Amino acid sequence: QVQLVESGGGLVQNGGSLRLSCLASVDIFEFSSMGWYRQVPGKQRELVALINYGGTTNYADSVKGRFTISRDNARNTVYLQMNSLKLEDTAVYYCNAAITTRVTYWGQGTQVTVSS
């Protein structure tokens, strides 16, 4: 059973930084890609950042230049460094790991709140 455990969320002021971590219960080389998504009430979950097996990254336009996704294979952990946070970044952030497009796993989510 694959488990993903997120941590690092919290309350931060506008313009501040946070680093989210996603610890996997298995070797992350098992996954073709890992990513971070976010969701606010009443809206669909949206992709924030993705990193594939080869290390190629992809970002939502709204976070390009501010967020960085990275992976530490030895620690089975994926990170999301979030800088210059804005009020509109407030959301529950979810870690995702995909073996195929049909076989994916989700963490429980971590709340990020940006205050003015």
Side-chain angles (χ1 to χ4, degrees):
Q1 181 73 12
V2 174
Q3 290 187 325
L4 304 173
V5 180
E6 301 106 332
S7 61
L11 176 64
V12 64
Q13 285 192 326
N14 192 27
S17 298
L18 282 175
R19 188 177 79 158
L20 305 183
S21 300
C22 173
L23 174 64
S25 61
V26 298
D27 190 336
I28 61 175
F29 277 117
E30 297 284 333
F31 307 121
S32 60
S33 68
M34 295 188 74
W36 290 94
Y37 291 71
R38 66 187 181 188
Q39 189 170 24
V40 297
K43 291 191 175 181
Q44 284 192 327
R45 194 171 295 186
E46 64 173 3
L47 174 67
V48 176
L50 201 67
I51 185 166
N52 70 10
Y53 180 87
T56 300
T57 58
N58 187 34
Y59 296 93
D61 288 342
S62 59
V63 306
K64 281 181 181 176
R66 300 188 297 121
F67 291 11
T68 303
I69 189 170
S70 62
R71 56 194 293 166
D72 184 335
N73 296 328
R75 288 183 166 85
N76 292 329
T77 301
V78 172
Y79 302 99
L80 184 68
Q81 177 66 44
M82 305 185 294
N83 298 327
S84 302
L85 283 160
K86 304 177 180 180
L87 297 177
E88 52 264 40
D89 295 318
T90 295
V92 178
Y93 284 71
Y94 296 90
C95 179
N96 172 270
I99 295 178
T100 70
T101 55
R102 291 188 175 185
V103 181
T104 66
Y105 302 92
W106 292 94
Q108 81 286 354
T110 185
Q111 177 71 46
V112 171
T113 303
V114 183
S115 65
S116 59

